[in-house]
Amino acid sequence: MTRDLGRLFNPRSVAVVGGGAWCEAVIDQLKKAEFRGAIWPVHPKRQTIADLPAFASVGDLPSSPDATFVGVNRHATIDTIQGLSEQEAGGAVCFASGFGEVADGQDLHDALRMAAGDMPILGPNCYGFINMFDQTVVWPDQHGCMPCERGVAILTQSSNIAINLTMQSRGLPIGYIVTCGNQAQTSQADIAMALLDDPRVTAIGLHIEGFGDVHAWEKLARKARKQGVPLVAMKVGRSIEAQVTTVSHTASLAGSDAASAALLRRLGIARVDDLSAFLETLKLLHVTGHLPSKAIATVSCSGGEAALAADLALQHGLHFPPLKPAQEKALFEALGPKVALSNPLDYHTYIWRDTEAMTNAFSAMLDTDLALTMLIVDFPRADRCDASDWDSAIAAAKGAKAAKGHRLAMVATLPELMPEDVAKDLMAAGIVPFCGLESALAAVAAAQQNDHAETMHNLCTSHTQTGRTMSERAAKAALAWHGVEIPKAARDLTTADQLAAPLVLKGEGFAHKSEHGAVMLGLEHREIAEAAAQMNAQGYLLEEMVQNGVAELLVGVTADPTCGFLLTLGAGGTLTELLEDTTHLLLPTTEAAVKQALTRLRSAKLLDGYRGKPAANMDAIVATVMAVQDYVLAHQHTIAEVEINPLICTPTRAVAADALIRKTDD
């Protein structure tokens, strides 16, 4: 059900229920923001709160409030929400904790949802929201936001992180800050969907702890793409160990974070790793929107800075196109013969303080084929130094931007070397003021236009991870039915003469056969009996050995409790744990997405033909992956995991040399 959050986020009246310091702080913040609507304190015993007359209950209010801050204990919160819902109030912030996040709170969590009915609520365990477009602050604490006409929205599940983000001094205009709390009713995706309807929002940042309803995120991504509003996420949880103990390599390689990364990639939502990159990416998206490529230029008056920029850019997959003849000509005219012309450019200090020459040099570097040109300028400490010499750099940047109109940034190598007043001045001129070179380059990488975002299908549902493991013979037969090529096998050891040597003998009943000496390769027919005697296994699988392999891959699928089925592609065989070279997709996926994913592997060069070796048959590899997907989709209610490792890739075939299928208990 989609709830209208318009009244809540842009209210004409705000009720504040409760008499504690937190509630008084909400009233103080509304006053400081010069909120233009009515403020109605509610308390059963007090006559006034924060110098405003108090009402005994929500039922005594002059009319149904548009927004309400409910700052009472968890039991009283439910009664208050019930009363507001009956009045058809616009929505409420539930400040109290002790609901679904604690052992004895689930019943209260459910009761709160029932009490709210169709009325939207934020939380519980939620700080509230800040709307600086309309000077509305339903927020029980200090904050650092300033009024703005256009700006970004930031949603977080952490109130403390939200407070810290409001205190940024980077020149980023923040229109909305919303804390989501426990999301008993209104999810983070629901909130972001509502904020997309505000044309003043230029980009949305999402600090995500968990996804919840994945389909709501799919709807959000579609709407954001349609409306041209970029999304950027900082998803926490990379370090959490996978919750599933499994006999396969796939689950251990996938980990708890792989499905999240695959989901964000599918949705076309950029991901960054830290708060600094988060803010810098939002800043870039606010000014320029998505970037069309990874081609950049940097301009500095230091060879050391030019080299540093080149090294850091390489880590983020960015590249520096060589200068065009027209650029070289214009740069030579501006800089003279003493400067070596290149990208990155070190223009030395010959023209420092010469605004006209600097403007011409900066303009010469701007080009339509560049995603972004970055001027590296570090400002001195205002408390100890005179920054007037840097006025020429600011003026030259503005002049170049006005003359060419191309995307331009000014970046300080250290965050503290970009003063806030300078950042705001540059922002007003359409120039991105980056605070920190590393974060700036991370932002450029994150801001890429995702033209290849995967087609979004409804994700498969997943199930419990416990269950039984099929024998390798049975697993291969099941996959072969759906189109996976498997080695020719003997029915038993007595029919070995039907196979062509060299042969592979495997002992059955081992989770990891190689570790137990239960795999012998390259056997001749006369060696089979002795090999079987050495293994002393419960049973045997005898197959023709796959030859002429140019690469070995892992193809695995695990059931993720949130995102459905996660496909893992990676280096296989003996290199699986050694390289940990993997990439991930969510099922269902497409052939095009699989091909693109394979190119992300570090071992992709082996598939293309390395050092004179023939290339693998890419069509056969992709066909195998799609056949595995067909099997999973056909049995999605009973699959815990599927793995082929290795898939031996030859110039003509892709053969599943080993396979595992684990079924759920149901």
Side-chain angles (χ1 to χ4, degrees), residues 239-303:
S239 61
I240 300 174
E241 295 295 331
Q243 299 298 310
V244 181
T245 302
T246 177
V247 296
S248 77
H249 300 285
T250 304
S252 61
L253 288 171
S256 61
D257 186 63
S260 298
L263 177 61
L264 290 170
R265 186 184 302 116
R266 164 171 282 192
L267 299 179
I269 300 176
R271 183 180 188 181
V272 294
D273 295 333
D274 59 68
L275 291 173
S276 183
F278 185 65
L279 290 172
E280 296 308 301
T281 305
L282 282 170
K283 191 187 301 179
L284 175 60
L285 293 172
H286 168 75
V287 177
T288 71
H290 281 122
L291 298 179
S293 72
K294 294 187 176 182
I296 65 169
T298 62
V299 182
S300 68
C301 60
S302 162

Side-chain angles (χ1 to χ4, degrees), residues 94-108:
C94 299
F95 182 65
S97 59
F99 289 85
E101 80 277 13
V102 296
D104 67 341
Q106 188 58 51
D107 289 344
L108 291 173

Side-chain angles (χ1 to χ4, degrees), residues 500-558:
L503 305 172
V504 177
L505 181 66
K506 300 179 181 181
E508 296 180 331
F510 300 98
H512 296 292
K513 298 181 180 66
S514 297
E515 297 174 4
H516 293 84
V519 178
M520 293 190 180
L521 307 176
L523 298 176
E524 298 295 331
H525 287 86
R526 64 179 182 276
E527 299 172 313
I528 295 173
E530 182 179 350
Q534 291 180 13
M535 286 185 192
N536 190 28
Q538 300 173 6
Y540 300 94
L541 176 61
L542 184 66
E543 299 174 324
E544 292 182 350
M545 186 171 173
V546 182
Q547 302 184 75
N548 302 317
V550 297
E552 295 185 351
L553 292 178
L554 174 145
V555 178
V557 176
T558 52

Side-chain angles (χ1 to χ4, degrees), residues 243-558:
Q243 299 298 310
V244 181
T245 302
T246 177
V247 296
S248 77
H249 300 285
T250 304
S252 61
L253 288 171
S256 61
D257 186 63
S260 298
L263 177 61
L264 290 170
R265 186 184 302 116
R266 164 171 282 192
L267 299 179
I269 300 176
R271 183 180 188 181
V272 294
D273 295 333
D274 59 68
L275 291 173
S276 183
F278 185 65
L279 290 172
E280 296 308 301
T281 305
L282 282 170
K283 191 187 301 179
L284 175 60
L285 293 172
H286 168 75
V287 177
T288 71
H290 281 122
L291 298 179
S293 72
K294 294 187 176 182
I296 65 169
T298 62
V299 182
S300 68
C301 60
S302 162
E305 290 174 347
L308 179 62
D311 287 348
L312 292 175
L314 181 65
Q315 297 175 19
H316 292 286
L318 307 175
H319 64 93
F320 296 83
L323 297 175
K324 296 178 179 179
Q327 289 175 293
E328 291 182 339
K329 181 176 182 297
L331 284 169
F332 183 83
E333 293 173 353
L335 300 175
K338 296 182 180 181
V339 175
L341 304 181
S342 64
N343 181 26
L345 176 67
D346 168 17
Y347 65 89
H348 300 277
T349 55
Y350 301 119
I351 61 172
W352 188 252
R353 303 185 189 89
D354 185 339
T355 302
E356 181 179 358
M358 293 176 75
T359 301
N360 293 337
F362 295 169
S363 298
M365 286 297 288
L366 292 170
D367 187 80
T368 55
D369 292 336
L370 292 170
L372 188 67
T373 299
M374 305 170 70
L375 311 174
I376 301 177
V377 180
D378 289 290
F379 291 83
R381 292 178 57 135
D383 59 340
R384 299 180 183 177
C385 306
D386 179 5
S388 60
D389 280 352
W390 278 255
D391 292 344
S392 58
I394 297 172
K398 291 180 179 179
K401 175 65 177 178
K404 288 291 194 71
H406 301 322
R407 289 174 292 270
L408 181 63
M410 184 176 287
V411 52
T413 56
L414 297 176
E416 60 268 29
L417 301 185
M418 173 61 72
E420 185 175 15
D421 60 334
V422 174
K424 290 181 177 179
D425 186 30
L426 293 170
M427 184 85 76
I431 300 169
V432 186
F434 280 129
C435 301
L437 182 57
E438 165 64 25
S439 296
L441 294 170
V444 173
Q448 299 303 305
Q449 178 69 54
N450 191 353
D451 292 329
H452 302 290
E454 299 164 44
T455 302
M456 285 181 279
H457 309 277
N458 288 331
L459 300 178
C460 303
T461 56
S462 60
H463 292 266
T464 178
Q465 297 292 295
T466 60
R468 62 182 180 83
T469 301
M470 296 171 60
S471 69
E472 181 181 348
R473 186 189 298 271
K476 284 180 172 176
L479 293 172
W481 180 263
H482 287 266
V484 174
E485 184 175 354
I486 62 175
K488 185 178 180 181
R491 187 176 66 253
D492 53 47
L493 298 185
T494 64
T495 58
D497 57 351
Q498 298 176 4
L499 305 180
L503 305 172
V504 177
L505 181 66
K506 300 179 181 181
E508 296 180 331
F510 300 98
H512 296 292
K513 298 181 180 66
S514 297
E515 297 174 4
H516 293 84
V519 178
M520 293 190 180
L521 307 176
L523 298 176
E524 298 295 331
H525 287 86
R526 64 179 182 276
E527 299 172 313
I528 295 173
E530 182 179 350
Q534 291 180 13
M535 286 185 192
N536 190 28
Q538 300 173 6
Y540 300 94
L541 176 61
L542 184 66
E543 299 174 324
E544 292 182 350
M545 186 171 173
V546 182
Q547 302 184 75
N548 302 317
V550 297
E552 295 185 351
L553 292 178
L554 174 145
V555 178
V557 176
T558 52

